[in-house]
C-alpha cells in the first residue's frame, strides 16, 4: 500500500476524484546499471508529468535489497493512463530504461478509500466484484465451460516477408505440453491474413504460467529471435520492459466462445472481418448471438466458435463439420436471424446471396500456418 504524506485535493470540495488510479511498477535493476536507470528515470519523470491525467509519481528503493525498485504513479482515472500506456509516445518515452532492468511487474488499482488523520476521503466508486473488470480493461482470461482458457496474440510482419515468416512459424519443434501439475498446453493454431499473424492458444490451467513456460523453451526462443528481423515493430524479448510492451500490444482477448455437442470430423478455420471504423464492438456482439444460435442448432455445421477482438481487429476461429465453401453463411456467422445486422457493420456492402457470401468468405479467410494439438502424457 502506498501512503501519501498529505491529502491530494483534486476537486474544489477537497474530495478525491472518483475512480483515481494508482499504478505500481516493480522493477529489478541489473547489477551495474543503477546509474543508467536513475538517469533514465530523471529524463522520464518530467515527460510523464506532462501527460494529461497524470497526478504524481514516486521512485522508491527497497531497504532490504538495493537492486529492487518501485515506481508508483497516480492518475485522475484509468482512462488517460490506459490511453497513454498503449500509445507509441509511451513506447518511445520508456526506451531509455530498456536494458536496465531484469524483471518488471505492473499493478493497477482504483483508489477507493483514503484516510488522513481523522479525515476520511472515500470515493463513491463501488469495489469490483469477483469476475467483474474495469470498463476498458480486458478481464483476466478465464476458463470456459469446458475448462479451457483461450487467448490470442496478433502482430504484423513487413510486407513482402510473409512467406519467410510463415516458414519460421510452421517449422519449430513443439514445446513440452505439461507445464506443471495444474497447467497444460492443449492447442496452438496460427493463421495469417496478408502480413498479419494471429496465434490462438488453448490452455488447461493458468494462462500466464503457460505463456511464461512457452517463452522459456529454447526452440521457441530460437524461432522468436529468427522472426525479429521480419516484424514491423521492433521488440527485444530479452528486455522485460520491451517484452511486456510487445505482449500488451499483441494481446487479442477472447470476447465470446460458443460450442455445441456435435459429432464428426471437424475442420478449423479463421476469419478476419473487414470492419467499419468504430464498429468492432457491435460486430462482436452480433456474432456472439449468431454463434450461440448456430451452436445450439443440431442442423448447423458449426461446432465451436471463438471471437477475438482488439478495437476494430475482429478475428473469429471456427470448427466446422463441412467445407466452408459448402456453407459460407455458417462459416462466416451469417446463418442466423441477425445476418443483415452483421453485414451492416462491415466496411463494404455485401449481398446476402451465396455468390456474395463466397466473395466475402474469400476476403475474410486467413491462411493456416500451423495447428498443433498436444498429445496426452
Amino acid at each position: 500500500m502506498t501512503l501519501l504524506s498529505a491529502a491530494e485535493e483534486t476537486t474544489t470540495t477537497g474530495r478525491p476524484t472518483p475512480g483515481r488510479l494508482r499504478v505500481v511498477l516493480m522493477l529489478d535493476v541489473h547489477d551495474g546499471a543503477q546509474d543508467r536507470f536513475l538517469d533514465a528515470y530523471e529524463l522520464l519523470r518530467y515527460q510523464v508529468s506532462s501527460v494529461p491525467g497524470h497526478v504524481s509519481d514516486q521512485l522508491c528503493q527497497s531497504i532490504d535489497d538495493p537492486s529492487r525498485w518501485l515506481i508508483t504513479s497516480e492518475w485522475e482515472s484509468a482512462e488517460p493512463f490506459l490511453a497513454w500506456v498503449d500509445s507509441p509516445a509511451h513506447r518511445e518515452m520508456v526506451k531509455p530504461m530498456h536494458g536496465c532492468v531484469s524483471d518488471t511487474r505492473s499493478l493497477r488499482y482504483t483508489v477507493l478509500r483514503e484516510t488522513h488523520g481523522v479525515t476520511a476521503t472515500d470515493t463513491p466508486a463501488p469495489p469490483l466484484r469477483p469476475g467483474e473488470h474495469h470498463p476498458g480493461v480486458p478481464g483476466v482470461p478465464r476458463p470456459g465451460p469446458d475448462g479451457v482458457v483461450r487467448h490470442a496474440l496478433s502482430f504484423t510482419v513487413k510486407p513482402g516477408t510473409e512467406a519467410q515468416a510463415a516458414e519460421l512459424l510452421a517449422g519449430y519443434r513443439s514445446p513440452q505440453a505439461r507445464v506443471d501439475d495444474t497447467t497444460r498446453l492443449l492447442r496452438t493454431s496460427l493463421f495469417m491474413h496478408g502480413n498479419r499473424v494471429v496465434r490462438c492458444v488453448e490452455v488447461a490451467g493458468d494462462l500466464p504460467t503457460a505463456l511464461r513456460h512457452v517463452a522459456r523453451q529454447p526452440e521457441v526462443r530460437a524461432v522468436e529471435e529468427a522472426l525479429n528481423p521480419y516484424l514491423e515493430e521492433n521488440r527485444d524479448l530479452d528486455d522485460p520492459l520491451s517484452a511486456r510492451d510487445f505482449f500488451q500490444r499483441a494481446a487479442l482477448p477472447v470476447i465470446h466462445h460458443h460450442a455445441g455437442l456435435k459429432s464428426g470430423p471437424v475442420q478449423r478455420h479463421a476469419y478476419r472481418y473487414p470492419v467499419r471504423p468504430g464498429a468492432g464492438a457491435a460486430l462482436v456482439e452480433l456474432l456472439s448471438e449468431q454463434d450461440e444460435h448456430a451452436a445450439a442448432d443440431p442442423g448447423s455445421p458449426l461446432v465451436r466458435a471463438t471471437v477475438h477482438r482488439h478495437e476494430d481487429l475482429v478475428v473469429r476461429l471456427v470448427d466446422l463439420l463441412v467445407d466452408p465453401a459448402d456453407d459460407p453463411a455458417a462459416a462466416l456467422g451469417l446463418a442466423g436471424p441477425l445476418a443483415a445486422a452483421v453485414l451492416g457493420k462491415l466496411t463494404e456492402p455485401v449481398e446476402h446471396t451465396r455468390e456474395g457470401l463466397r466473395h466475402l468468405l474469400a476476403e475474410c479467410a486467413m491462411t493456416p500456418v500451423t495447428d498443433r494439438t498436444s498429445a496426452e502424457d
Side-chain angles (χ1 to χ4, degrees):
M1 183 175 73
T2 302
L3 298 179
L4 306 180
S5 57
E8 299 179 28
E9 297 186 359
T10 57
T11 69
T12 56
T13 63
R15 292 182 60 81
T17 303
R20 282 184 308 158
L21 183 74
R22 170 73 66 185
V23 180
V24 179
L25 180 63
M26 297 183 289
L27 311 102
D28 289 349
V29 176
H30 286 298
D31 290 344
Q34 179 170 300
D35 289 342
R36 281 195 298 126
F37 169 73
L38 289 172
D39 289 343
Y41 178 79
E42 196 63 26
L43 289 172
L44 185 65
R45 63 192 298 192
Y46 297 109
Q47 291 177 303
V48 177
S49 69
S50 67
V51 175
H54 178 271
V55 177
S56 66
D57 64 71
Q58 298 174 322
L59 175 67
C60 311
Q61 185 180 29
S62 169
I63 61 174
D64 301 308
D65 182 351
S67 68
R68 303 188 70 178
W69 294 75
L70 188 71
I71 298 175
T72 70
S73 61
E74 188 168 337
W75 298 76
E76 292 175 0
S77 66
E79 285 71 19
F81 169 77
L82 294 172
W84 171 70
V85 81
D86 288 335
S87 69
H90 170 261
R91 293 195 287 276
E92 288 298 316
M93 206 177 288
V94 300
K95 276 184 178 178
M97 280 197 176
H98 289 183
C100 295
V101 300
S102 58
D103 193 18
T104 180
R105 186 181 180 196
S106 178
L107 306 173
R108 294 99 181 256
Y109 299 87
T110 298
V111 179
L112 293 179
R113 300 177 184 178
E114 196 168 347
T115 306
H116 301 285
V118 297
T119 304
T121 51
D122 299 347
T123 67
L128 296 175
R129 301 301 178 187
E132 296 178 340
H133 59 87
H134 190 282
V137 180
V140 176
R142 297 181 181 276
D146 56 358
V148 176
V149 183
R150 293 170 172 85
H151 190 60
L153 298 173
S154 178
F155 52 89
T156 55
V157 297
K158 297 173 183 175
T161 69
E162 293 89 349
Q164 298 96 314
E167 184 178 2
L168 283 170
L169 291 165
Y172 70 95
R173 184 167 59 90
S174 298
Q176 181 182 349
R178 177 67 61 181
V179 178
D180 55 32
D181 291 341
T182 60
T183 300
R184 176 184 176 82
L185 302 173
L186 299 178
R187 189 170 184 174
T188 300
S189 304
L190 196 144
F191 296 85
M192 293 185 70
H193 188 273
N195 69 328
R196 179 165 293 280
V197 178
V198 173
R199 176 186 286 146
C200 304
V201 296
E202 298 177 9
V203 171
D206 183 67
L207 178 66
T209 299
L211 295 180
R212 285 194 296 269
H213 163 80
V214 170
R216 288 194 296 262
Q217 303 307 302
E219 58 272 21
V220 174
R221 291 189 65 85
V223 74
E224 294 292 349
E225 288 297 327
L227 186 64
N228 280 341
Y230 302 113
L231 298 180
E232 283 199 309
E233 289 196 52
N234 294 329
R235 68 179 185 182
D236 180 2
L237 297 183
D238 289 326
D239 183 278
L241 286 174
S242 178
R244 182 170 63 91
D245 190 47
F246 169 76
F247 286 112
Q248 285 179 341
R249 296 196 311 273
L252 197 57
V254 169
I255 307 302
H256 82 247
H257 172 78
H258 295 291
L261 296 175
K262 303 175 185 180
S263 60
V266 299
Q267 303 174 12
R268 174 158 287 192
H269 306 273
Y271 301 99
R272 179 190 176 187
Y273 290 79
V275 185
R276 277 198 290 110
L283 173 63
V284 165
E285 184 177 351
L286 291 167
L287 286 172
S288 177
E289 295 185 50
Q290 294 283 95
D291 287 336
E292 184 177 18
H293 177 271
D297 179 4
S300 170
L302 181 75
V303 178
R304 285 176 290 272
T306 306
V307 172
H308 300 266
R309 170 185 167 255
H310 176 70
E311 296 179 346
D312 288 337
L313 174 59
V314 176
V315 173
R316 183 165 162 271
L317 188 69
V318 298
D319 290 339
L320 297 172
L321 292 168
V322 299
D323 188 287
D326 294 336
D327 195 340
L332 289 165
L334 294 167
L338 298 174
V342 173
L343 290 171
K345 300 301 177 184
L346 304 184
T347 305
E348 298 294 334
V350 178
E351 291 185 7
H352 196 201
T353 63
R354 196 169 189 83
E355 183 74 21
L357 294 181
R358 280 182 171 172
H359 178 77
L360 179 61
L361 186 75
E363 182 181 352
C364 294
M366 304 190 73
T367 303
V369 177
T370 182
D371 186 23
R372 301 168 184 240
T373 302
S374 64
E376 293 293 333
D377 293 335

